[in-house]
Amino acid sequence: MSFTTLPLLPTIQKAIEKQGYQQPTPIQAQAIPEILKGKDFLGCAQTGTGKTAAFSIPILQILSQKNLQHKNIKALILTPTRELAIQIEENIKAYGQFISLKHLVIFGGVKQGNQEKSLKNGVDILVATPGRLLDFIGQGIISLKQLEIFVLDEADRMLDMGFVHDVKRIIKLLPQKRQTLFFSATMPNEIQQLASTILNNPIKVEVTPVSSTADTIQQSVYFVEKDNKLELLSHILKTSVKDSVLVFARTKHGADKIARKLQQNGIITEAIHGNKSQNARQNALSNFKSGKTRVLVATDIAARGIDIDELKFVINFELSDVSETYVHRIGRTGRAGSAGTSISFVDGLDLINLKNTEKLIGKKIPVVKDHPFHTDNLVVQKRDSNNKPFNPGQRNNNQKPKNAQRQELGFKKVKNKNFDRKK
Ligand code: AMP
């Protein structure tokens, strides 16, 4: 299926094409036509499925077809973290580059002056974290009275982070008559309840995550203390592995740190992540493809679309909280039946993710002990997606609804295949 089969304006098609997207992801194919019809939508989908475009594209189209004064906020996207908020606004900017709508992102932790100034200039689409939004509403800087579309993104994470009361307060301030789009990676009871109170006869779509790994990939785990990971990586790259290697890091800062350390150790390395310009990313990628750079360190978002024939090695410097990410990461190697190897470094903070990953892929990943940094003494440590200590009782992968429950809830299931941009 191509984007051209969706009822999208040429200006939006052009922007999508510019992004290099070849085809809509399953959630996009399901959500875009329904949202365009004005329906409420409940999506059980996590980051990486293309859900941001699934709601942003129809919002841009709906609003661009109205004769807006650009004075009142017409669409609000509420999301739990600053990083997500920034990412969403970047996407809106990209998809809306050929239409004249005003959008803005607001979040806490920075002075409010610039955000306030931009708000006063008029905003059609606002992306916000709950605290800063309530601040501005309290100060009379923001009014949501003219709102037409409300998106609640990552509802379960809102709950985990203790934002549920803020979210409920915000919902009370929205006009009754509106279109509501609700996204959550999991659907625990509290989320279902919240969804049922704010959605009106929604279209429900659940994206079933990818779960199988290719047999051609030889997978292994190395148990190592956090502080020894950099040394272990250098050791592997200097002794056992001679090929090009794609290293996955959880954070942009982490990716930079790894690249710096490897460079210091004489291994030609570059890092790509969201803080690097598109040009810098493309240069790094072509250097890696041509063999000029031996190691490329990437965050998950930056790595999407990287398609390197004959990549033999993937190293997970940390495991992701989202188990499906493992499948996507190691799927960069062992393509089209060729042999590949993946190594995952596991410290105390990765142990829970390892367990969840093994559960997802339905097999144990063999532990390799034959290296100087092996430890048998890892202790389980917890963190949330912001790297902060994780309180027991919060969401984890085990709380994903069971199939039966999902069906009972009336979700239409779509498979989340790997999807890439044009090369
Ligand atoms: P999301 O799940 O919204 O966080 O999206 C994850 C990543 O997928 C983002 O980097 C998007 O730019 C990218 N993406 C979204 N839709 C598509 C598509 N149809 N084809 C290729 N990449 C996409």
Side-chain angles (χ1 to χ4, degrees):
M1 183 188 185
S2 112
F3 271 103
T4 49
T5 58
L6 292 174
L8 293 171
L9 296 170
T11 41
I12 292 186
Q13 296 278 15
K14 191 167 140 195
I16 293 172
E17 204 175 302
K18 214 170 151 200
Q19 291 304 298
Y21 298 175
Q22 282 176 311
Q23 55 183 41
T25 67
I27 190 132
Q28 290 163 5
Q30 300 287 328
I32 292 173
E34 300 294 345
I35 298 173
L36 284 174
K37 284 185 216 154
K39 299 250 171 72
D40 277 8
F41 189 86
L42 176 55
C44 185
Q46 60 209 13
T47 300
T49 55
K51 68 179 165 69
T52 312
F55 63 75
S56 305
I57 289 172
I59 290 177
L60 283 160
Q61 175 145 329
I62 291 170
L63 296 184
S64 74
Q65 288 172 317
K66 296 185 178 217
N67 204 359
L68 295 182
Q69 303 288 307
H70 309 298
K71 283 201 176 124
N72 300 305
I73 297 165
K74 292 286 172 185
L76 167 68
I77 298 152
L78 202 59
T79 192
T81 68
R82 168 191 165 131
E83 285 71 26
L84 278 167
I86 293 171
Q87 250 176 56
I88 293 170
E89 207 241 355
E90 276 171 2
N91 285 353
I92 291 176
K93 191 169 163 197
Y95 309 139
Q97 61 188 288
F98 302 115
I99 47 184
S100 51
L101 286 171
K102 289 180 153 185
H103 42 82
L104 178 71
V105 58
I106 58 167
F107 44 78
V110 291
K111 286 197 185 124
Q112 73 170 51
N114 284 340
Q115 297 177 0
E116 189 180 341
K117 218 156 82 202
S118 306
L119 280 163
K120 287 191 171 142
N121 286 334
V123 170
D124 302 307
I125 304 174
L126 182 69
V127 186
T129 53
R132 179 54 59 99
L133 177 65
L134 281 168
D135 264 2
F136 276 135
I137 294 174
Q139 295 173 50
I141 296 166
I142 284 182
S143 158
L144 298 173
K145 290 211 173 81
Q146 304 296 321
L147 195 88
E148 294 183 11
I149 309 174
F150 171 56
V151 181
L152 185 59
D153 184 40
E154 308 246 339
D156 52 353
R157 188 116 71 106
M158 291 276 194
L159 202 86
D160 289 351
M161 294 174 73
F163 289 155
V164 72
H165 296 296
D166 284 354
V167 171
K168 286 182 177 164
R169 275 177 62 201
I170 292 165
I171 291 167
K172 280 200 187 122
L173 299 170
L174 305 178
Q176 282 286 322
K177 188 172 167 294
R178 56 161 202 266
Q179 183 178 9
T180 305
L181 318 173
F182 190 111
F183 290 84
S184 191
T186 60
M187 287 285 160
N189 284 340
E190 206 172 342
I191 292 296
Q192 283 171 44
Q193 249 163 29
L194 181 65
S196 67
T197 56
I198 66 169
L199 291 163
N200 182 12
N201 199 15
I203 304 290
K204 299 177 181 179
V205 172
E206 181 207 351
V207 182
T208 45
V210 287
S211 65
S212 60
T213 50
D215 293 337
T216 47
I217 306 169
Q218 195 199 336
Q219 305 171 48
S220 59
V221 158
Y222 284 39
F223 284 148
V224 53
E225 293 295 349
K226 189 172 192 293
D227 291 344
N228 289 334
K229 280 188 172 181
L230 283 170
E231 289 305 330
L232 172 61
L233 183 59
S234 296
H235 171 79
I236 291 175
L237 292 168
K238 285 190 164 167
T239 56
S240 48
V241 176
K242 299 286 174 217
D243 294 281
S244 296
V245 177
L246 179 60
V247 177
F248 282 98
R250 270 172 65 97
T251 63
K252 300 169 199 173
H253 173 72
D256 281 335
K257 198 167 151 194
I258 295 167
R260 263 199 314 272
K261 176 72 181 183
L262 295 182
Q263 282 285 20
Q264 279 165 12
N265 286 348
I267 300 162
I268 301 173
T269 307
E270 285 187 81
I272 55 168
H273 51 66
N275 285 359
K276 303 246 172 177
S277 69
Q278 195 60 29
N279 255 350
R281 287 199 224 177
Q282 250 143 21
N283 285 341
L285 199 56
S286 59
N287 287 342
F288 186 59
K289 281 184 177 175
S290 69
K292 214 163 141 189
T293 305
R294 187 176 153 217
V295 179
L296 186 66
V297 189
T299 55
D300 290 301
I301 295 281
R304 199 169 274 292
I306 298 183
D307 196 356
I308 305 151
D309 294 336
E310 317 215 342
L311 178 68
K312 292 206 176 69
F313 266 92
V314 167
I315 294 183
N316 294 312
F317 197 80
E318 298 105 352
L319 287 176
S320 165
D321 296 333
V322 180
S323 306
E324 289 80 11
T325 299
Y326 178 81
V327 183
H328 287 297
R329 285 178 174 183
I330 74 164
R332 302 281 158 193
T333 177
R335 289 206 163 181
S338 65
T341 305
S342 86
I343 297 174
S344 302
F345 292 180
V346 168
D347 65 19
L349 283 161
D350 297 301
L351 281 172
I352 293 176
N353 292 337
L354 176 64
K355 201 172 122 220
N356 289 330
T357 300
E358 289 180 332
K359 201 165 140 198
L360 174 79
I361 62 171
K363 59 182 169 199
K364 280 241 165 258
I365 309 169
V367 178
V368 169
K369 298 186 176 182
D370 184 19
H371 62 89
F373 302 97
H374 173 73
T375 170
D376 280 318
N377 303 321
L378 293 181
V379 178
V380 175
Q381 283 176 283
K382 297 181 181 181
R383 68 178 155 200
D384 67 13
S385 45
N386 293 316
N387 249 342
K388 303 228 168 75
F390 183 89
N391 296 326
Q394 288 182 330
R395 169 168 79 91
N396 60 38
N397 278 355
N398 296 331
Q399 287 174 334
K400 276 186 182 164
K402 294 191 180 80
N403 279 347
Q405 265 175 315
R406 286 173 177 165
Q407 269 153 21
E408 236 169 70
L409 292 169
F411 277 101
K412 174 163 184 178
K413 264 194 186 177
V414 289
K415 259 213 155 65
N416 185 34
K417 299 172 293 209
N418 274 324
F419 57 91
D420 281 319
R421 295 168 200 235
K422 262 187 221 149
K423 278 155 248 165

